[in-house]
């Protein structure tokens, strides 16, 4: 078993501009790509867990989310970093797109995305943690029985180094 860092996406890895799905609008936060590389070099899995209710609201498609994540993967590879898996929740209880209208365990603060990745990759929960920018992210971590850290800026690489030192 191997430890993992679960990153929220919008507000942690990139600027939260609201319903982001276009790569031309993605702006990496300071130290974000380097933080992922730090996690890789420390021997941890690096995962992204992100609520994407824009799909449920009909603003974009799941394919748009997947395309953005593929592009982010390429951007990270440019500096020798990688995300081991992306997980996203397209659901919302008040969805406009009926197929996505549900209250589910994967939508944070539910732990579903985290626990699913933990099972799929045989993650060590004792040494794993989540970094999010909202209290619902930290609550999802708590519900998944891992530590959660609230990131408020300014530099994710420095933040991650401190988190790794304290593990």
């Amino acid at each position: 078993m191997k430890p993992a860092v679960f990153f929220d996406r919008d507000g942690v890895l990139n600027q939260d501009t609201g319903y982001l799905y276009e790569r031309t609008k993605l702006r990496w936060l300071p130290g974000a790509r380097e933080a992922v590389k730090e996690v890789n070099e420390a021997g941890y899995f690096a995962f992204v867990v992100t609520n994407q209710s824009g799909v449920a609201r009909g603003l974009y498609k799941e394919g748009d989310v997947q395309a953005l994540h593929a592009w982010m993967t390429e951007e990270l590879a440019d500096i020798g970093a990688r995300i081991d898996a992306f997980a996203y929740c397209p659901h919302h209880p008040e969805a406009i797109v009926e197929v996505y209208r549900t209250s589910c365990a994967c939508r944070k603060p539910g732990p579903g995305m985290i626990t699913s990745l933990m099972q799929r990759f045989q993650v060590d929960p004792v040494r794993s943690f989540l970094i999010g920018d909202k209290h619902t992210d930290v609550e999802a971590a708590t519900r998944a029985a891992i530590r959660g850290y609230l990131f408020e800026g300014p530099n994710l690489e420095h933040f991650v180094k401190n988190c790794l030192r304290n593990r």
Side-chain angles (χ1 to χ4, degrees), residues 85-107:
F86 288 85
Y88 66 92
C89 175
H91 307 114
H92 194 277
E94 298 170 11
I96 293 169
V97 181
E98 189 173 341
V99 69
Y100 297 112
R101 189 179 310 134
T102 185
S103 293
C104 62
C106 65
R107 181 172 175 75

Side-chain angles (χ1 to χ4, degrees), residues 9-10 14-28 52 54-55 59-72 75:
R9 194 187 80 184
D10 302 328
N14 56 271
Q15 290 178 356
D16 188 350
T17 57
Y19 305 111
L20 176 68
Y21 68 96
E22 298 163 291
R23 68 182 185 193
T24 58
K25 294 185 178 175
L26 185 138
R27 300 289 175 261
W28 293 99
Q52 291 299 310
V55 174
L59 301 174
Y60 48 88
K61 307 274 188 214
E62 284 192 68
D64 296 320
V65 176
Q66 295 161 0
L68 181 62
H69 291 168
W71 178 81
M72 290 173 76
E75 287 275 298

Side-chain angles (χ1 to χ4, degrees), residues 152-163:
E152 296 175 325
N155 185 296
L156 188 60
E157 181 183 17
H158 298 152
F159 189 86
V160 163
K161 282 182 178 182
N162 285 332
C163 292

Side-chain angles (χ1 to χ4, degrees), residues 90-165:
H91 307 114
H92 194 277
E94 298 170 11
I96 293 169
V97 181
E98 189 173 341
V99 69
Y100 297 112
R101 189 179 310 134
T102 185
S103 293
C104 62
C106 65
R107 181 172 175 75
K108 293 179 287 177
M113 288 186 282
I114 299 166
T115 57
S116 176
L117 287 166
M118 290 173 73
Q119 292 168 358
R120 184 172 145 206
F121 287 88
Q122 298 194 356
V123 171
D124 175 3
V126 174
R127 294 175 26 223
S128 298
F129 58 94
L130 174 140
I131 299 173
D133 67 322
K134 294 182 177 69
H135 291 287
T136 52
D137 298 320
V138 175
E139 185 179 340
T142 300
R143 289 181 178 186
I146 63 170
R147 178 95 183 185
Y149 294 104
L150 192 62
F151 175 68
E152 296 175 325
N155 185 296
L156 188 60
E157 181 183 17
H158 298 152
F159 189 86
V160 163
K161 282 182 178 182
N162 285 332
C163 292
L164 290 170
R165 247 192 311 268

Side-chain angles (χ1 to χ4, degrees), residues 2 6 13 33 41 49 54 56 63 74 90 93 121 127 137 139 141:
K2 185 170 150 177
F6 297 83
L13 293 175
R33 294 185 304 156
E41 291 174 352
V49 289
E74 293 170 11
F121 287 88
R127 294 175 26 223
D137 298 320
E139 185 179 340

